[in-house]
Amino acid sequence: MTMGHSRPTSQVYFISAAGSDPADELAAKAKKVYLATGFNERIAEGDFAALKIHFGEAGNAGYIKPAWLARLIWEVRTRTKHAFLTDSNTLYVGNRSNSIDHLRLAWSHGFTPEATGLPVIIADGLIGRDKQEPRSAQARTASSKIASAILDSDAFIGLTHVTGHVQTGLGAAIKNMGMGCASRAGKLDQHSVTHPRVNAKQCRNCSVCMTFCPEAAIIQAEGHVVIDSARCIGCGECLVVCKQGAIKMKWDEDSLRLQEKMAEYAFRVLSHFKDKAVFLNFLIHVTKDCDCMAKNQKPIAADIGILASVDPVAIDQATADLLIARAGGKDPLRAGYDIDWAGQLAHGEKIGLGTRKYALVEVA
Ligand code: SF4
Ligand code: SF4
């Protein structure tokens, strides 16, 4: 894919599939639609290939099952021995906010080296502080804080379980790359324009956050600490290191701004991989909320299949179009949250992340 100037129509490959298909049949379909993109041939021997996925929060059942990826992974492994499954730590306190809990959760959902043949590497380190910061002039962000292991890799395979989303309306390839590859500070950067605050009742006054704050913005009060908002630069370090969960953010970024920031983050990740990135969107068990929800959710659409493309904008546009078409013209995403999810696509296209013009190629 050429970046940064007017682009032709992108190919989006599609194969019909449902969650009720036998796992091996789904694995064969995922492999078929993946190979149709021609991407596998671009992986060179010795490449570090990052298979970016969401392992699903504890209690969630919507995530892509490891068995569905078995054949695709085998294909990747014929090209390089250095492939790995990966995700980054979450900002919210759950079972994926540090690498130890995150790994245990991935294993409990079947993503073990024995089952998949791949190690799991949490891309932003033990507590989400390992990041690199590529810069480029964009409208909403000057830089992106991206999990180090992602940008240390040579090839990127975005494996996305498509869902609705409480803040972005649509969670698909752009979100998996833009938000999903951001370190915890990068997620904070996208999510909020305000500075963190300390909940005095939860603070144990251990001073750990003071040690980590790069701006000396955390000061002692009576029996707890407080943040001096005049000094705070909103880097999120304190939020990451507080083991008590005493530092909170105000989640007030409006959806359009958030979607645009996310697209800019995705652009900087794609700029690193250039033509060595591919995206698979699984339109199976599409739910109102993302897989960060620690509960099983009812689907909001019938299962459709698996899409694959080297263009993250085209695949997300095709994803939304298919969801709407199969629902008889009514948008199932907007039935969940009335959010205009198209902002991420429009901004993505504007900044050269991809094109909304696509040709759907059915793979038999
Ligand atoms: S790290 Fe958390 S508990 Fe410790 S002083 Fe800071 S806010 Fe309070
Ligand atoms: S967000 Fe960063 S600058 Fe602000 S108080 Fe926390 S550590 Fe300090």
Side-chain angles (χ1 to χ4, degrees):
M1 192 178 67
T2 323
M3 296 181 66
H5 47 81
S6 74
R7 54 194 60 250
T9 302
S10 286
Q11 307 284 96
V12 178
Y13 298 90
F14 167 69
I15 195 158
S16 179
S20 56
D21 291 347
D24 193 50
E25 205 173 294
L26 269 165
K29 288 178 176 179
K31 171 189 145 180
K32 212 178 248 186
V33 76
Y34 166 71
L35 289 181
T37 64
F39 170 82
N40 208 49
E41 307 304 309
R42 296 183 191 170
I43 303 175
E45 195 185 331
D47 272 359
F48 288 110
L51 280 76
K52 168 67 181 76
I53 195 163
H54 187 313
F55 299 111
E57 191 48 79
N60 184 283
Y63 60 92
I64 298 168
K65 308 299 175 295
W68 302 352
L69 302 172
R71 290 176 181 239
L72 180 157
I73 288 173
W74 193 88
E75 292 297 332
V76 175
R77 290 179 67 197
T78 63
R79 305 291 303 176
T80 179
K81 290 186 190 130
H82 293 150
F84 62 100
L85 288 156
T86 190
D87 197 2
S88 58
N89 288 310
T90 58
L91 203 48
Y92 68 88
V93 179
N95 285 293
R96 298 182 305 121
S97 61
N98 67 69
S99 290
I100 293 172
D101 294 341
H102 205 156
L103 268 176
R104 287 210 174 104
L105 183 63
W107 294 338
S108 77
H109 283 177
F111 293 93
T112 61
E114 294 77 19
T116 64
L118 298 183
V120 175
I121 295 172
I122 304 304
D124 56 349
L126 187 63
I127 55 169
R129 299 182 71 228
D130 295 357
K131 58 184 183 288
Q132 296 175 31
E133 201 163 345
R135 294 178 176 276
S136 62
Q138 297 290 353
R140 296 287 187 201
T141 55
S143 68
S144 294
K145 296 166 179 114
I146 305 295
S148 284
I150 298 290
L151 296 187
D152 284 338
S153 298
D154 307 293
F156 181 90
I157 302 172
L159 302 165
T160 307
H161 170 226
V162 173
T163 66
H165 195 267
V166 62
Q167 285 163 307
T168 60
L170 168 69
I174 296 172
K175 184 162 188 296
N176 196 13
M177 192 177 225
M179 187 65 75
C181 293
S183 70
R184 291 184 77 189
K187 291 185 176 90
L188 179 68
D189 179 28
Q190 292 176 67
H191 270 297
S192 186
V193 286
T194 60
H195 306 300
R197 294 195 182 101
V198 178
N199 181 330
K201 283 188 187 147
Q202 275 175 273
C203 175
R204 300 267 175 90
N205 211 15
C206 68
S207 307
V208 169
C209 55
M210 296 174 76
T211 316
F212 280 87
C213 177
E215 301 298 318
I218 307 180
I219 45 179
Q220 277 292 337
E222 283 189 19
H224 62 90
V225 298
V226 289
I227 293 172
D228 177 354
S229 56
R231 287 188 165 187
C232 172
I233 55 166
C235 71
E237 287 286 319
C238 54
L239 204 102
V240 170
V241 296
C242 177
K243 289 196 174 74
Q244 307 305 326
I247 303 183
K248 313 277 185 202
M249 286 306 305
K250 204 173 154 210
W251 304 103
D252 64 351
E253 190 72 88
D254 72 52
S255 181
L256 182 61
R257 279 174 65 103
L258 171 58
Q259 290 184 57
E260 291 183 352
K261 285 182 171 185
M262 207 167 74
E264 291 177 7
Y265 264 63
F267 176 81
R268 295 194 186 98
V269 177
L270 190 59
S271 298
H272 167 79
F273 291 105
K274 299 188 174 66
D275 67 345
K276 285 179 106 165
V278 71
F279 307 89
L280 268 76
N281 283 2
F282 287 69
L283 282 74
I284 294 175
H285 200 84
V286 177
T287 48
K288 177 182 161 196
D289 287 299
C290 67
D291 296 344
C292 295
M293 292 289 145
K295 61 176 184 192
N296 198 9
Q297 304 173 64
K298 281 194 207 131
I300 55 168
D303 289 353
I304 297 175
I306 309 168
L307 296 173
S309 179
V310 295
D311 183 330
V313 177
I315 195 172
D316 282 3
Q317 184 68 58
T319 291
D321 290 347
L322 274 171
L323 283 168
I324 294 166
R326 295 293 171 93
K330 197 158 178 257
D331 185 348
L333 297 166
R334 293 194 77 147
Y337 295 103
D338 193 17
I339 292 173
D340 183 5
W341 41 259
Q344 55 196 291
L345 302 174
H347 197 60
E349 183 167 64
K350 188 171 152 198
I351 64 177
L353 180 64
T355 175
R356 298 176 78 175
K357 268 176 67 187
Y358 65 91
L360 198 66
V361 182
E362 188 143 6
V363 177

